[in-house]
Amino acid sequence: MNSPWWREAVTYQIYPRSFADADGDGTGDLAGITSRLDYLADLGVDAIWLSPFYPSPQYDYGYDVSDARDVDPVFGTLEDAEALLKEAHELGLKVIIDLIPNHTSSSHPWFIDALAAGPGSPERDRYLFRDGRGPNGDEPPTNWRSVFGQPAWTRVSDGQWYLHMFDREEPDLNWRHPEVIEEFRSVLRWWLDRGVDGFRVDVAHGLVKALRDQRVPEGGEPNSDPAVMYEIGVDDDPMWDHPDVHEIYRDWHKVVSSYPGERMLIAEAWTRAPGDLRGYLRADEFEQAFNFRWLQSHWSAREFTDAIVSTLEALNPSRAWPTWVLSNHDAMRHRTRYGDGAQALARARAATLMMLALPGAAYLYQGEELGLPHVQLPPEHQLDPWAEGGNGRDGCRVPLPWSGEAPPFGFGPGDGQPWLPQPYQWADLTVAAQTGRPGSTLEFYRSALAARRRYAHGDKEVKFLDVPKDVIAFRRGRLTVVINCGATPTPLPRGDVLICSGEPLASELPPDTAAWLLSDE
Ligand code: BGC
């Protein structure tokens, strides 16, 4: 691995509920993950990122944390976390964990104390409690909507309101409070002492707010999604990207870099343009920030080019290297974003191959190496509190199929069914079914990751080639990378084909396919 390890690492995101279940209760756990780490080492990734496994009532599947220094019994014990870290390190895998500083769970002792202590108390001051507006205080303090679509304020029995930018069971912390600041320093140290290599910081753009109304045009509705506001011509997000968030990260940077080894912080910061990420990537803040441009793109050469060019241009003048991601636990799987059936799978593989050639770090989401589609679950299995139009994030969180002919496909021991149902058609997509099968998506990922390790690193520069409209081609060092998003075959640039996302080819690249070629110049 190059130094620092994270710069061009491939990190595999594990959603612990849905990766592997060692104790057979239908929910994945840390011991399950540990038992499958050799699969990940063999796949060829450099690091894993674990979505939260802390004690939590699980309203938002663990992003509602009630104790950031322990493990929820559903996922195991602190000893299981330590065993996982040890085993991962022995296999040469780095471990990044999720840190959730914007809010706690409503079951966190601090919030329970805040409710009991009443208005004006120091306990309330750790959160964002305010009196309401209007003659009886029964109008919320601001007009904000939460990310999950409900009002962002909930009123408690004594009449005050508290802010929650996500679920009502996830009260937002007051980041102007010294105890909040000290608590998170201490949580960072707690896990750094146990050997974690990095933290993925949840909602990094949201910790400090300007508590005033969001401006909306006449007749318009407030919305916490800046993209929606932008479409209606409003550039006013008092809940996001407050300049004072950076002081927090400068402080954390000091904590993290005081530890030996190359520990790191990666921001989940939803900014409007990639250039806005630069603030988070200053030398004394985050090492990396997620760049969601590609994850938000449809199958389109124009959109992909925009995502690549705007990212590279935005970050080029800075020391930072980009990151790339196509799927995660909050989004529709990229295979399904690109359509249906075999064509969508071909496109997903092609996009992955192109992404893996770009300079910077790549983040993979569990199951994409199996070509899993997003599952349309029946209403009784849609459990996500963020259920946009009845279609929440559960569809990308269906437990992985490991082996066998029928659910639970080796997810756990025995026949016990997992917390979300797996489609029967997944028999053909299990790890066991795809291992060693020529042309399978799993073998394709293995080859692509091996080729990346060998040929796609070091060079930050990307040179675009002149190609037909629905095609993108670029050179990076000795590598030429080409993707065909059009409907007809396109001539291959010069060079020896190293790897192709689809059928082997002669001199042309079929539609929905990408290839890497190697040349001497
Ligand atoms: C996480 C989500 C979570 C939200 C609230 C996000 O950005 O990725 O899964 O629901 O933060 O913590």
Side-chain angles (χ1 to χ4, degrees):
M1 242 185 272
N2 293 331
S3 179
W5 67 267
W6 38 264
R7 179 176 290 163
E8 296 193 85
V10 177
T11 299
Y12 182 99
Q13 182 191 354
I14 294 180
Y15 194 68
R17 299 182 74 75
S18 303
F19 186 71
D21 172 22
D23 64 10
D25 65 355
T27 301
D29 45 42
L30 298 186
I33 298 170
T34 306
S35 73
R36 300 286 189 182
L37 285 174
D38 50 355
Y39 163 76
L40 298 176
D42 181 56
L43 180 62
V45 302
D46 304 299
I48 56 174
W49 149 34
L50 300 169
S51 282
F53 48 75
Y54 315 109
S56 159
Q58 308 284 330
Y59 284 108
D60 190 13
Y61 293 114
Y63 282 90
D64 46 329
V65 178
S66 48
D67 178 359
R69 293 182 187 77
D70 205 348
V71 173
D72 193 293
V74 86
F75 298 125
T77 61
L78 204 48
E79 289 69 42
D80 291 335
E82 286 167 348
L84 189 162
L85 275 158
K86 185 163 175 287
E87 177 81 14
H89 287 156
E90 278 171 16
L91 288 165
L93 297 168
K94 302 284 186 185
V95 181
I96 298 173
I97 63 172
D98 232 297
L99 184 77
I100 298 97
N102 180 64
H103 44 264
T104 68
S105 157
S106 55
S107 304
H108 191 288
W110 276 4
F111 193 70
I112 294 172
D113 289 351
L115 288 183
S121 61
E123 287 83 353
R124 285 225 166 158
D125 203 26
R126 295 184 186 122
Y127 292 89
L128 296 169
F129 277 89
R130 293 289 182 275
D131 292 330
R133 296 188 291 191
N136 306 315
D138 49 11
E139 287 166 31
T142 69
N143 63 351
W144 299 1
R145 307 290 295 184
S146 81
V147 174
F148 290 174
Q150 303 93 9
W153 295 92
T154 289
R155 198 172 195 193
V156 299
S157 56
D158 54 47
Q160 276 207 312
W161 300 74
Y162 71 89
L163 179 72
H164 50 88
M165 285 313 302
F166 293 85
D167 195 70
R168 57 182 292 172
E169 307 298 342
E170 297 178 314
D172 280 31
L173 285 164
N174 171 13
W175 270 93
R176 307 260 186 217
H177 197 296
E179 280 179 42
V180 172
I181 295 169
E182 189 44 45
E183 168 68 2
F184 275 84
R185 273 187 207 134
S186 146
V187 168
L188 286 170
R189 288 197 203 100
W190 168 266
W191 290 106
L192 288 164
D193 287 341
R194 277 160 186 75
V196 307
D197 301 287
F199 298 89
R200 176 261 188 196
V201 178
D202 194 60
V203 198
H205 55 312
L207 272 47
V208 182
K209 291 102 179 160
L211 287 181
R212 57 155 178 84
D213 274 346
Q214 182 177 37
R215 282 193 292 279
V216 281
E218 185 111 359
E221 291 289 321
N223 196 304
S224 53
D225 182 344
V228 172
M229 297 306 284
Y230 190 67
E231 267 167 33
I232 56 170
V234 178
D235 184 4
D236 186 42
D237 311 306
M239 62 290 280
W240 305 131
D241 226 2
H242 192 287
D244 293 352
V245 294
H246 296 287
E247 201 178 317
I248 301 169
Y249 304 129
R250 284 195 282 272
D251 182 44
W252 290 5
H253 186 88
K254 287 189 203 129
V255 175
V256 171
S257 55
S258 72
Y259 277 75
E262 295 163 333
R263 317 284 180 112
M264 55 87 78
L265 295 166
I266 169 162
E268 186 219 20
W270 288 86
T271 58
R272 198 171 289 149
D276 303 337
L277 285 176
R278 272 204 296 267
Y280 294 82
L281 291 168
R282 285 177 281 218
D284 57 351
E285 294 193 31
F286 285 92
E287 276 67 35
Q288 290 183 337
F290 276 106
N291 156 36
F292 294 113
R293 280 300 298 271
W294 207 331
L295 179 142
Q296 292 171 306
S297 304
H298 301 96
W299 176 259
S300 139
R302 191 184 48 75
E303 289 191 32
F304 289 179
T305 308
D306 273 3
I308 298 170
V309 172
S310 61
T311 303
L312 295 175
E313 277 177 5
L315 296 187
N316 230 353
S318 69
R319 81 190 218 298
W321 283 55
T323 64
W324 308 97
V325 61
L326 287 163
S327 287
N328 69 23
H329 68 295
D330 288 332
M332 177 177 279
R333 284 186 178 276
H334 68 288
R335 171 180 173 169
T336 306
R337 230 171 31 238
Y338 299 154
D340 288 326
Q343 183 187 48
L345 179 58
R347 290 175 168 184
R349 289 167 53 144
T352 299
L353 192 60
M354 177 155 267
M355 175 185 85
L356 288 176
L358 287 165
Y363 283 79
L364 307 180
Y365 177 53
Q366 66 177 40
E368 67 171 83
E369 79 282 14
L370 304 175
L372 297 186
H374 200 87
V375 179
Q376 183 60 54
L377 290 155
E380 68 274 21
H381 288 296
Q382 294 191 8
L383 310 170
D384 181 14
W386 190 5
E388 280 180 296
N391 191 11
R393 298 167 293 177
D394 304 291
C396 63
R397 299 173 175 180
V398 173
L400 290 197
W402 290 92
S403 58
E405 298 300 319
F409 293 121
F411 174 65
D415 291 334
Q417 293 303 305
W419 71 284
L420 286 175
Q422 302 155 308
Y424 273 86
Q425 300 85 319
W426 282 12
D428 204 37
L429 296 179
T430 64
V431 171
Q434 295 198 48
T435 297
R437 188 169 81 200
S440 73
T441 301
L442 178 56
E443 293 303 341
F444 162 70
Y445 266 72
R446 286 190 175 129
S447 310
L449 292 172
R452 171 182 164 101
R453 211 169 263 259
R454 193 140 174 224
Y455 299 106
H457 53 77
D459 234 306
K460 201 175 174 187
E461 204 187 340
V462 166
K463 286 191 205 113
F464 283 88
L465 307 182
D466 209 8
V467 283
K469 185 163 128 297
D470 289 320
V471 179
I472 312 172
F474 63 78
R475 301 252 345 224
R476 180 174 176 222
R478 288 178 60 206
L479 211 55
T480 301
V481 181
V482 55
I483 188 167
N484 184 358
C485 299
T488 53
T490 189
L492 271 174
R494 285 215 334 254
D496 298 326
V497 175
L498 269 178
I499 180 165
C500 179
S501 65
E503 290 299 314
L505 22 88
S507 59
E508 291 195 316
L509 187 64
D512 306 320
T513 311
W516 291 8
L517 300 97
L518 197 63
S519 61
D520 290 332
E521 320 112 57

